[in-house]
Amino acid sequence: MSKKFLATVLSFFLISIMLLPSATHAATLNKTVEGMLGFSPPEGTIAKASSSYLDYIAEKSIDGSIQTYWNAGTYKGNIELKFPSAIELNFVHITTAAQPVREVSYTIYGLEGEKWVKISEQVTHSLKATYTTPPPIKVKQGAYDGIRIEADGGSSWLAFNEITLGTFETIDLKGQPQNTSAKLNWNTIKEATNYKINFGTQPNKYSDSISVEKDTEGNLVIPNLTNGTTYYFQVVAIFNGVETVISNEVAVTPNEPQTNEPTTPGNPSTGEPSKPSEPGTTKPDEPSTGGATNPQSPSGNRAILVVTMTTGLEKEFDLSMKEVNDFISWYEGKQAGSGSASYAINKHDNNKGPFSSRKDYMLYDRILTFEVSEYSK
């Protein structure tokens, strides 16, 4: 065999070896685990545990099955996962086997080169069932060659059913003030099954929350707010009942639109300029034109509807009895489980400004009580 032929074969062999790692180390995350967020670590990941009981070994925590598990055989321990190549992540999700039901604490480290760096605070989860998938643990976003999970199993041996990881999208929340309401917009989170909106009148302290369905992230209006009061809003994306992504906080101060109301020639009795009659009202000395009557001179079947919100705010409306009965029918229907989540009440005499109509949208779950005071005939 010639030296030239051997040199050619050797060169081919060396090139093949050089190309092989690039294919083997392509760390792609594409295997999901039912009921968990993110993906299983990629093929080629090396799992190592501080200790194991019988055949409940570390590899069973990343085999894609929530039915198998790693058991440390002791109360405290850790698992190290070393990836074939660096993976970008900002959360780790763990399903824990807990017998008896108890609290388990976790701290996560990331492998940067040859150094383990702490990338999460210590997180304690109160487990509520034998096999529990608590919320994912947020970690410092970065590309890591591996992760190490140090944990304390509490009152029993430490055990993990499955580990997944990945990156959350961020929620960019924007708010716009409106009259007695706030308009919220945020970007779609693909994994979210629904959203929760937290809000209150103090930063990072929320007294109210409402749930909204998926695909309502654009142009959501929160009604029944007080003009001049600053409200702070936060949106939380929920995946199958688990709170995952939390947005930035935005401050919104609802306000009444500023209008330049025209004046009419001075009042002959006072010399003061007088305002024109507001739409939907009549003067006491003029016949009704079919619109809403002046609440000071009610005619026909009318009543004052006072709605008390869960925030303690009271809203008062002067309405026809038909409008009152329509509102009651909606409320009782919603209470029985049917109908829309909100109801629009015509503001009639409060219709100030260049608008054809103004309506106050009431959310069913924001109503505490309501009272009807019917005018005497």
Side-chain angles (χ1 to χ4, degrees), residues 78-91:
N78 68 71
I79 274 187
E80 289 183 2
L81 303 178
K82 291 188 178 180
F83 312 132
S85 63
I87 294 176
E88 181 83 15
L89 60 100
N90 64 15
F91 77 86

Side-chain angles (χ1 to χ4, degrees), residues 27 49 64 102-104 113 118 135 141 161 187 194 199 222 250:
R102 61 189 187 278
E103 290 190 343
V104 177
K118 186 177 178 181
Q141 181 153 345
N161 291 67
N187 53 294
N194 59 300
F199 61 101
I222 307 296
V250 297

